[in-house]
Amino acid sequence: MRPHLSRPFSRADRYLYEKVTAIGPPALDPVTPRFVQATDHMAPWLLVSATLAAVGGPRLRRTALRAIAAAGAANAASFVVKNLVTRQRPDSSRVPRARRPYRAYGNSSFPSGHTSAAAAFAGGIAVDAPRPLSAVVWGIAGAVALSRVHSGVHYPGDVAGGLAIGAATAVLSRALLPARPELVSGARTVPEGSAGGDPEGSGVTVVVNPRSAGTGIGSPSFGDTADRVTRSLPKARIVPLTPDDDMAAVMDEAARTSGILAVSGGDGTANAAARAALDHDRPLLVLPTGTLNNFARTLGLTSVETALRAYTNGHLARVDVGEADGRVFLNTATFGSHPRLVRRRDRWAPRIGKWPAFGLALWRDLREVEPTPTRIDGRPTRVWWAFVGNCRYRTHGRVPAMRERLDDGCLDVRVLGASRHSPRWHALTDILFDRSRGGDGYSSRLATELTLSLPPGHRHMSLDGEVWECGETVRFTKRPAALRVIVAATP
């Protein structure tokens, strides 16, 4: 038999119910039921989430996902509680007929599912949304809670129960999808003052890489990027790379002959530009037009428009770079099975597209890959895959995502070693459950340097997505605050 609410609680709740239903002039009576029905099926929260996902940047899209997931979970939790707790709905005969909802409710009154979804959505939004948006959402959520009582559908205690469930679900959603402050203004860097660039772009050279996804010469994306740069920086010099050009040589010449080096492309292009910017001590501006644009996003540059505004605002900073035997990497250096996956992806991408090629290469690797025998800091290890990150990455065990800092002076070393027994099964469970077993298996640590030894046939490494044939021994080091970059805002 399902439990009922206690009698003292019910008496107090009925008293508050009568007080709330007596609030308001008769002119508002027809408004309440319409508002009640407008909030059915989480309609306002779905609308807000869809709007944020459509027009917002990465931060607001993440916010929308967190909020709608919290609202859905709270709604489901309320349904479960309704089937565990029996409570009759209020007798709305004393409520003006014009204020009553248009349909009857036959299920248990406790808790208010509408209120729980509203509270969960507002709590999910409030984590990292702008304050005006949070205030509007909280206002709507408060109106939902009040309308449930004012229309005679719920007791105040039902609403309080819904608020409790919504708040708990919002806290859980924040734990599963925490705030990403780096999506607002970029990762923490070392402030360097103003870039001091000419507002019209005089002294700026923009190298556009046609090999990056969607920016080939003659393609709409290439022309669009060039047009946007020309409109914002009419005096900037635009240098399109051709397939026959040596990218390193073009970047070096552009950096040598300009005051600020800008580059349009993905992470591999940004890597080449960083080497030239370091050699000539030039500030670097990254216009993200590649597939992933991890480095640009970490700087808070989520679009070409954002990057051009950053140039106008002139915020200059210094960031760390990693080195592998003198070769620069801005994001990660990987070894083990990953370089082979990258080579396969690049070989198949011209025929089937980059993402389908990546999926096919990953599937082939999962079936065929064997551990790579290595020595890491002198210790023999059989490695499935491993990467060395430039500064600490937020995730553990899974693919690295974002960094909170680009100035911590550390290398983030993560290795998935092959265990002696059931190596593939242990590797899969280590990744899925983010498990670190130490020794053989998954391990993670921070370091300032690292020495790697690779046997013949396995001497390949991927630096920021570009495969490099390395020597027998590779030494990883850091160059703290070495690269000057233009960032989205002053950290």
Side-chain angles (χ1 to χ4, degrees):
M1 189 172 180
R2 296 192 300 179
H4 292 68
L5 297 176
S6 65
R7 290 182 179 179
F9 174 83
S10 295
R11 285 197 297 268
D13 212 16
R14 287 187 174 88
Y15 173 79
L16 291 175
Y17 170 78
E18 292 175 358
K19 294 295 184 182
V20 174
T21 54
I23 297 174
L28 292 179
D29 288 347
V31 176
T32 301
R34 291 185 174 88
F35 181 77
V36 168
Q37 287 202 312
T39 61
D40 285 348
H41 310 298
M42 301 198 307
W45 317 129
L46 291 170
L47 178 61
V48 173
S49 291
T51 303
L52 293 180
V55 305
R59 174 180 61 135
L60 289 182
R61 286 195 292 270
R62 184 182 183 84
T63 300
L65 175 62
R66 179 196 305 112
I68 199 62
N75 209 22
S78 296
F79 178 78
V80 172
V81 176
K82 281 179 183 292
N83 285 276
L84 297 175
V85 179
T86 299
R87 192 185 198 195
Q88 293 295 326
R89 290 192 177 272
D91 179 6
S92 59
S93 60
R94 297 184 181 181
V95 177
R97 182 175 297 276
R99 194 193 299 172
R100 299 175 197 171
Y102 296 136
R103 63 189 178 113
Y105 294 82
N107 57 341
S108 175
S109 176
F110 183 89
S112 168
H114 287 69
T115 303
S116 64
F121 188 88
I125 283 285
V127 175
D128 55 3
R131 289 183 179 179
L133 175 60
S134 296
V136 170
V137 172
W138 274 113
I140 298 174
V144 169
L146 181 61
S147 71
R148 306 310 291 172
V149 181
H150 193 251
S151 63
V153 176
H154 283 288
Y155 291 106
D158 303 335
V159 170
L163 286 172
I165 292 174
T169 310
V171 170
L172 179 62
S173 72
R174 294 173 67 169
L176 296 177
L177 285 170
R180 293 289 189 258
E182 62 269 26
L183 293 177
V184 181
S185 58
R188 175 177 159 181
T189 55
V190 179
E192 183 75 0
S194 173
D198 177 69
E200 295 188 340
S202 178
V204 177
T205 298
V206 184
V207 180
V208 182
N209 181 13
R211 304 168 200 171
S212 295
T215 56
I217 296 176
S219 72
S221 296
F222 174 81
D224 183 54
T225 299
D227 288 344
R228 282 182 285 180
V229 171
T230 301
R231 286 195 300 267
S232 297
L233 307 175
K235 294 184 178 179
R237 179 165 61 108
I238 299 177
V239 178
L241 280 166
T242 68
D244 296 329
D245 284 334
D246 183 322
M247 185 186 299
V250 172
M251 292 291 185
D252 186 80
E253 176 66 16
R256 185 182 64 82
T257 57
S258 63
I260 294 176
L261 175 61
V263 60
S264 170
D267 288 316
T269 308
N271 180 297
R275 292 198 297 268
L278 284 166
D279 289 342
H280 297 280
D281 193 24
R282 298 287 191 262
L284 176 64
L285 172 64
V286 182
L287 307 179
T289 56
T291 304
L292 296 178
N293 306 305
N294 285 320
F295 184 65
R297 288 195 305 134
T298 307
L299 296 176
L301 307 177
T302 56
S303 65
V304 173
E305 289 75 13
T306 303
L308 292 173
R309 284 197 301 271
Y311 171 83
T312 302
N313 295 332
H315 295 300
L316 191 64
R318 286 186 176 271
V319 299
D320 294 357
V321 297
E323 282 192 337
D325 275 2
R327 289 178 174 261
V328 170
F329 61 96
L330 304 174
N331 301 314
T332 61
T334 62
F335 53 94
S337 65
H338 188 259
R340 183 173 66 175
L341 184 150
V342 172
R343 290 199 306 272
R344 281 178 167 170
R345 178 203 68 188
D346 292 344
R347 186 168 66 250
W348 295 335
R351 287 176 287 172
I352 62 175
K354 199 164 190 176
W355 284 113
F358 174 80
L360 181 59
L362 178 61
W363 171 250
R364 288 283 298 273
D365 259 20
L366 290 174
R367 295 174 56 195
E368 301 173 4
V369 69
E370 294 294 336
T372 300
T374 65
R375 297 182 71 89
I376 300 176
D377 285 337
R379 180 181 178 274
T381 306
R382 293 195 312 148
V383 173
W384 288 112
W385 59 260
F387 75 86
V388 181
N390 174 34
C391 299
R392 183 175 186 173
Y393 277 80
R394 186 188 292 270
T395 54
H396 295 276
R398 299 179 177 89
V399 176
M402 298 294 290
R403 289 162 285 182
E404 294 181 347
R405 299 179 58 178
L406 283 173
D407 64 347
D408 63 9
C410 294
L411 297 170
D412 189 345
V413 182
R414 308 190 187 194
V415 178
L416 183 62
S419 61
R420 296 181 181 179
H421 305 289
S422 304
R424 281 183 166 80
W425 169 253
H426 282 138
L428 179 62
T429 55
D430 286 347
I431 294 174
L432 291 178
F433 299 105
D434 199 6
R435 184 174 61 186
S436 177
R437 291 184 282 114
D440 292 336
Y442 172 72
S443 64
S444 173
R445 64 188 174 94
L446 298 178
T448 55
E449 60 180 34
L450 179 77
T451 301
L452 170 71
S453 298
L454 293 168
H458 297 276
R459 293 171 185 170
H460 292 90
M461 189 169 298
S462 175
L463 301 180
D464 293 336
E466 302 295 325
V467 177
W468 160 54
E469 187 171 351
C470 58
E472 178 183 357
T473 302
V474 180
R475 183 170 177 263
F476 295 90
T477 56
K478 280 297 293 276
R479 293 176 62 178
L483 178 64
R484 292 194 292 162
V485 291
I486 294 174
V487 295
T490 303

